[in-house]
């Protein structure tokens, strides 16, 4: 979704803003713009299309002079992608420019009020009301104006604002939309996400809702809505600039797929100590756990798919009933929650609007909320009662891979810890799992080494129009993810089914040559899924299977078999998903798709 960058420092702002926006491209956008403050004047350059259009328009930022500025990549919500709807938006007199991420829910009322006062609107956006509103409220004090905005604006926003009356500084604030302050030396910045700041600083401040920040080259001041100045406490970010660069790979997605063994290692290592699982600061006792009557896992998209794995393994290892819900459904379905509910929310970004809303609903009704999150300091991480970070590092490709894999590991660790606390696994079984967890990064490496085979088959099968993924139990959960990976980046229609469910309707779609991926790695049900594979094969399906090494059963019924190393059943999804990620990647590559930024998609879905 939209991205914001703001800069005040000793360098020319425009090239810095363009570079910063480039690092936010992954979020998904359809237009871009900058506003730069120079000698009491604001100059704006903006255009629909990719950042390159803006680069060309401004000669890489050279034609827009000034040391303070704000920039924006827009993912259209109100009004089509066009030059005029692009941000920044400017007030009537041209003295204020605004960039905005989020949705102003009461913009129509505000617009009607402003129109009555003589303001005219050029765009179809909700953001333009903010620019005019700033001008309407402004009486010589920008801090007052910002605070006034917090009272008037309903909905979500991250804002960057410059005023022609205030040279050398800019203002920013947020509510329910991400915004991070970068604390540099002789330069200070804001951005929607950390990668935009890394070229300047690794010291950041995570802005809280309704805090107003005033930034100049050598000062960052933060105020609450009572004009009280707040302490700026820096968090050190452990990533360097290269973490968010392609490093020689053609696509971020491929780089992130290949990074998974290291990411898994980072997620596992600190949590396996002296033969015991230690879950950071998440302290839960056996008594507390025995008091839990129900676990809800709530998330969106791929994170939801991790939740589906979580349901199977947590129920197996705890015998506590687990429900897994799509966050946008959960928040409106009046779920039955009380103080005995444990709610697990899963989110890579920690900023997904529906997941945030579901979490708040759960908390309001008394649930204890445990968040599994990748982005440090994100809204979900800050608001949950407990957090387990996935430590996957920055994930730039829109289609998640390493974040998904590390989320899986955290769910595994949780299930094992709970089993240990409840006495549902004996020492020997637990020790076997710890050994298997330690071996997993190496096994993942081994699975990735088979990539050429998958690349070959992708080159043979990329022209299919519809693909099915089937599996049972944990393989079904992985099938959901394999299918999503394929459709989001290759635009091939695909569906995932529980193996036993296909014959209740969908099998009518199977005809000669229909490609069916059969996941047959969940050992207790391999024979069952083999029967389902036979059923579709008998109707002409072309069968690609994923099986564990040494399993002969699937060889006989499949046209192609991708093998993965064997591990313990609960951990198997971490390996089974790899051929599916690679297949989706190679198919999309073969089709020449925009892999890192698929059409219509955004990395962090910060609107409902
Ligand atoms: C798909 C993908 C999305 C996200 C979903 C939730 O590859 O990445 O489906 O999983 O938008 O995002 P987070 O995990 O940030 O809450």
């Amino acid at each position: 979704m939209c991205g914001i960058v703001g800069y005040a420092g000793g360098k020319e702002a425009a090239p810095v803003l363009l570079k910063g926006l480039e690092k936010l491209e992954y979020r998904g956008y359809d237009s871009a713009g900058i506003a730069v403050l120079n000698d009491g004047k604001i100059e704006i350059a903006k255009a629909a299309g990719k950042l390159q259009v803006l680069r060309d328009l401004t000669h890489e930022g050279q034609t827009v002079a000034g040391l303070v500025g704000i920039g924006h990549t827009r993912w259209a919500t109100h009004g089509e992608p066009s030059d005029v709807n692009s941000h920044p938006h400017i007030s009537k007199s041209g003295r204020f420019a605004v960039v905005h991420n989020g949705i102003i829910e009461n913009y129509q009322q505000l617009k009607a009020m402003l129109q009555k006062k003589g303001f005219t609107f050029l765009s179809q956006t909700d953001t333009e009301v903010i620019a005019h509103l700033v001008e309407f409220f402004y009486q010589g004090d920008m801090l007052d104006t910002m605070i006034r905005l917090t009272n008037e604006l309903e909905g979500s926003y991250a804002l960057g604002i410059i005023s022609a009356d205030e040279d050398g500084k800019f203002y920013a604030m947020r509510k329910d939309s991400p915004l991070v302050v970068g604390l540099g030396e002789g330069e200070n910045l804001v951005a929607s996400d950390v990668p935009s700041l890394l070229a300047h600083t690794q010291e950041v401040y995570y802005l809280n809702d309704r805090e107003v920040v005033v930034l100049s080259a050598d000062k960052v001041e933060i105020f609450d809505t009572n004009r009280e100045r707040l302490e700026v406490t820096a968090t050190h970010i452990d990533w360097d600039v290269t973490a968010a660069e392609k490093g020689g790979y053609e696509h971020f997605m491929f780089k992130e797929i290949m990074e998974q063994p290291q990411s898994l290692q980072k997620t596992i290592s600190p949590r396996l100590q002296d033969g015991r699982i230690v879950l950071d600061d998440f302290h839960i006792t056996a008594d507390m756990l025995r008091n839990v009557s129900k676990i809800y896992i709530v998330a969106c998209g791929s994170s939801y798919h991790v939740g589906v794995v979580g349901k199977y393994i947590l129920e197996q290892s705890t015998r506590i009933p687990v429900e897994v819900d799509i966050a946008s459904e959960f928040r409106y379905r009046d779920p039955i929650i009380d103080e005995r509910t444990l709610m697990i929310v899963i989110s890579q970004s920690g900023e997904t609007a529906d997941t945030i809303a579901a979490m708040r609903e759960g908390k309001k009704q008394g649930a204890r909320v445990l968040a599994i999150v990748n982005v440090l300091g994100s809204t979900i991480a800050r608001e949950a009662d407990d957090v387990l970070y996935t430590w996957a590092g920055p994930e730039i490709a829109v289609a998640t891979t390493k974040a998904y894999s590390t989320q899986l590991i955290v769910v595994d660790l949780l299930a094992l810890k709970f089993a240990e606390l409840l006495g549902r696994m004996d020492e020997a079984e637990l020790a076997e799992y710890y050994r298997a967890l330690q071996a997993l990064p190496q096994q993942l490496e081994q699975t990735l080494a088979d990539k050429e085979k998958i690349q070959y088959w992708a080159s043979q099968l990329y022209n299919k129009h519809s693909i099915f993924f089937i599996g049972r139990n944990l393989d079904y959960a992985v099938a959901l993810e394999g299918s999503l990976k394929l459709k989001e980046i290759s635009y091939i229609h695909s569906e995932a089914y529980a193996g036993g469910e296909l014959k209740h309707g969908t099998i009518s779609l199977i005809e000669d040559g229909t490609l069916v991926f059969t996941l047959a790695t969940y050992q207790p049900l391999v024979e069952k899924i083999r029967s389902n594979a036979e059923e579709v094969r008998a109707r002409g399906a072309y069968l690609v299977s994923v099986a564990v090494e040494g399993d002969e059963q699937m060889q006989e019924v499949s046209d192609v078999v991708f093998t993965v190393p064997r591990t313990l059943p609960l951990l198997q999804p971490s390996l089974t998903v790899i051929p599916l990620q690679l297949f989706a990647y190679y198919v999309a590559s073969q089709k020449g798709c925009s892999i890192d930024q698929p059409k219509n998609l955004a990395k962090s879905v910060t609107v409902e």
Side-chain angles (χ1 to χ4, degrees):
M1 307 248 126
C2 306
I4 289 178
V5 184
Y7 177 81
K11 303 189 182 105
E12 282 298 317
V16 172
L17 295 173
L18 289 172
K19 266 258 163 280
L21 292 177
E22 187 186 303
K23 297 280 181 239
L24 297 178
E25 279 190 295
Y26 75 91
R27 296 167 73 84
Y29 72 107
D30 41 52
S31 53
I34 54 173
V36 175
L37 183 59
N38 193 14
D39 240 354
K41 282 204 199 71
I42 293 173
E43 194 173 337
I44 292 200
K46 57 182 187 171
K50 288 290 170 195
L51 207 51
Q52 193 55 45
V53 181
L54 184 64
R55 287 187 189 289
D56 294 343
L57 186 72
T58 60
H59 296 254
E60 298 293 334
Q62 300 303 320
T63 58
V64 191
L67 305 180
V68 174
I70 50 178
H72 190 262
T73 46
R74 172 173 187 254
W75 190 85
T77 56
H78 296 64
E80 58 179 7
S82 67
D83 291 355
V84 73
N85 284 337
S86 311
H87 300 206
H89 288 281
I90 193 97
S91 70
K92 189 174 159 189
S93 67
R95 283 165 47 234
F96 303 93
V98 175
V99 290
H100 165 222
N101 174 12
I103 288 183
I104 302 303
E105 284 162 5
N106 60 337
Y107 87 100
Q108 267 162 330
Q109 294 95 298
L110 292 169
K111 187 170 176 175
M113 181 277 283
L114 288 162
Q115 278 168 329
K116 276 196 204 132
K117 307 277 179 200
F119 288 86
T120 49
F121 285 77
L122 304 174
S123 77
Q124 300 152 300
T125 65
D126 53 339
T127 304
E128 197 180 352
V129 298
I130 307 174
H132 295 314
L133 211 54
V134 170
E135 180 156 321
F136 180 58
F137 290 152
Y138 184 73
Q139 290 183 334
D141 185 331
M142 261 310 276
L143 183 56
D144 264 353
T145 309
M146 298 293 285
I147 292 169
R148 185 90 197 265
L149 281 182
T150 63
N151 297 328
E152 299 298 328
L153 299 177
E154 285 168 22
S156 59
Y157 49 80
L159 294 172
I161 303 185
I162 49 178
S163 157
D165 290 357
E166 307 216 13
D167 248 338
K169 59 173 80 156
F170 73 99
Y171 291 77
M173 67 178 177
R174 60 159 276 180
K175 182 186 155 264
D176 295 339
S177 246
L179 201 61
V180 191
V181 179
L183 306 162
E185 302 266 322
E187 56 181 3
N188 291 299
L189 305 94
V190 296
S192 302
D193 201 357
V194 169
S196 290
L197 306 173
L198 290 176
H200 304 268
T201 179
Q202 284 172 266
E203 304 303 315
V204 305
Y205 174 82
Y206 291 99
L207 213 53
N208 293 304
D209 276 358
R210 294 192 181 86
E211 286 177 359
V212 180
V213 56
V214 191
L215 300 101
S216 55
D218 46 20
K219 205 156 46 165
V220 170
E221 293 173 292
I222 297 176
F223 298 91
D224 67 13
T225 47
N226 297 317
R227 289 186 74 106
E228 291 290 327
R229 195 190 298 245
L230 305 172
E231 199 188 332
V232 186
T233 43
T235 301
H236 179 76
I237 297 294
D238 201 14
W239 306 339
D240 60 16
V241 193
T242 56
E245 312 230 303
K246 278 192 200 148
Y249 288 97
E250 196 180 342
H251 298 105
F252 278 111
M253 183 178 176
F254 193 63
K255 177 183 179 231
E256 289 159 6
I257 289 174
M258 299 308 286
E259 275 172 0
Q260 290 178 106
Q262 295 79 37
S263 308
L264 249 60
Q265 190 73 57
K266 278 196 200 145
T267 313
I268 296 169
S269 293
R271 280 135 180 177
L272 277 189
Q273 294 174 15
D274 305 326
R276 280 268 168 282
I277 291 178
V278 180
L279 294 177
D280 312 353
D281 293 330
F282 176 50
H283 298 299
I284 188 157
T285 61
D287 281 346
M288 283 152 96
L289 204 52
R290 277 192 203 100
N291 190 41
V292 171
S293 60
K294 182 182 243 179
I295 300 175
Y296 279 112
I297 307 181
V298 182
C300 300
S302 294
S303 298
Y304 166 77
H305 296 158
V306 172
V308 180
V309 173
K311 175 182 165 65
Y312 284 112
I313 66 175
L314 281 163
E315 274 189 348
Q316 255 189 57
S317 57
T318 65
R319 304 312 294 156
I320 299 171
V322 180
E323 279 192 48
V324 53
D325 267 73
I326 293 167
S328 55
E329 288 296 310
F330 182 86
R331 61 185 289 193
Y332 295 118
R333 81 167 168 89
D334 198 8
I336 302 162
I337 300 174
D338 59 26
E339 316 69 55
R340 296 185 62 200
T341 307
L342 173 65
M343 188 171 169
I344 302 174
V345 294
I346 308 178
S347 175
Q348 185 283 130
S349 61
E351 298 293 350
T352 301
D354 283 316
T355 312
I356 293 173
M359 171 186 70
R360 287 180 180 160
E361 189 54 37
K363 276 191 88 166
K364 202 164 82 192
Q365 293 189 37
R368 175 169 178 183
V369 177
L370 166 67
I372 299 176
V373 176
N374 191 40
V375 177
L376 205 73
S378 55
T379 303
I380 293 177
R382 284 184 297 167
E383 291 188 18
D385 296 304
D386 303 283
V387 188
L388 291 171
Y389 283 108
T390 46
W391 304 130
E395 190 178 64
I396 308 295
V398 164
T400 181
T401 52
K402 62 175 183 172
Y404 169 90
S405 290
T406 51
Q407 287 170 348
L408 275 185
I409 290 297
V410 174
V411 169
D412 292 335
L413 291 166
L414 207 56
L416 293 172
K417 185 73 196 174
F418 286 0
E420 178 196 316
L421 286 170
L422 294 172
R424 296 202 53 85
M425 274 192 196
D426 61 30
E427 288 288 324
E429 240 178 316
L430 284 167
E432 206 185 342
Y433 264 102
Y434 300 158
R435 277 195 298 276
L437 272 170
Q438 277 162 332
L440 213 48
Q442 170 58 34
Q443 288 183 308
L444 211 142
E445 197 95 60
Q446 198 184 324
T447 316
L448 289 168
D450 246 0
K451 59 184 182 312
E452 275 81 22
K453 178 174 177 185
I454 296 164
Q455 184 175 24
Y456 170 77
W457 283 107
S459 75
Q460 302 301 301
L461 299 168
Y462 74 95
N463 52 8
K464 297 282 179 192
H465 296 293
S466 186
I467 301 181
F468 291 86
F469 289 78
I470 59 172
R472 282 172 175 260
N473 200 284
L474 290 175
D475 279 332
Y476 166 58
V478 178
L480 292 168
E481 178 61 5
S483 170
L484 178 63
K485 261 330 52 109
L486 184 81
K487 57 193 148 199
E488 65 185 331
I489 60 168
S490 75
Y491 315 138
I492 295 175
H493 169 257
S494 140
E495 295 195 37
Y497 271 88
E501 182 64 11
L502 212 59
K503 55 182 157 302
H504 295 285
T506 312
I507 203 163
S508 63
L509 293 174
I510 305 293
E511 52 189 35
D512 261 355
T514 304
L515 178 55
V516 178
F517 258 84
T518 305
L519 311 190
T521 67
Y522 182 65
Q523 294 308 299
L525 294 175
V526 170
E527 276 169 21
K528 300 283 176 202
I529 193 70
R530 181 192 154 127
S531 305
N532 300 136
E534 305 247 30
E535 287 158 10
V536 290
R537 193 134 192 254
R539 285 155 183 86
Y542 188 86
L543 219 68
V544 177
S545 299
V546 181
V548 294
E549 277 166 3
D551 182 349
E552 301 297 320
Q553 296 195 59
M554 293 311 290
Q555 307 279 350
E556 289 161 24
V557 293
S558 311
D559 294 289
V560 180
V561 179
F562 298 142
T563 53
V564 293
R566 187 187 295 261
T567 178
L568 297 175
L570 299 191
L571 306 182
Q572 196 66 54
S574 294
L575 301 173
T576 308
V577 75
I578 301 299
L580 308 186
Q581 293 174 342
L582 286 167
F583 185 76
Y585 173 79
Y586 285 126
V587 165
S589 162
Q590 193 76 33
K591 291 183 72 182
C593 299
S594 163
I595 293 182
D596 285 338
Q597 292 160 40
K599 69 171 185 240
N600 302 339
L601 294 182
K603 180 72 181 162
S604 175
V605 184
T606 52
V607 296
E608 187 173 341

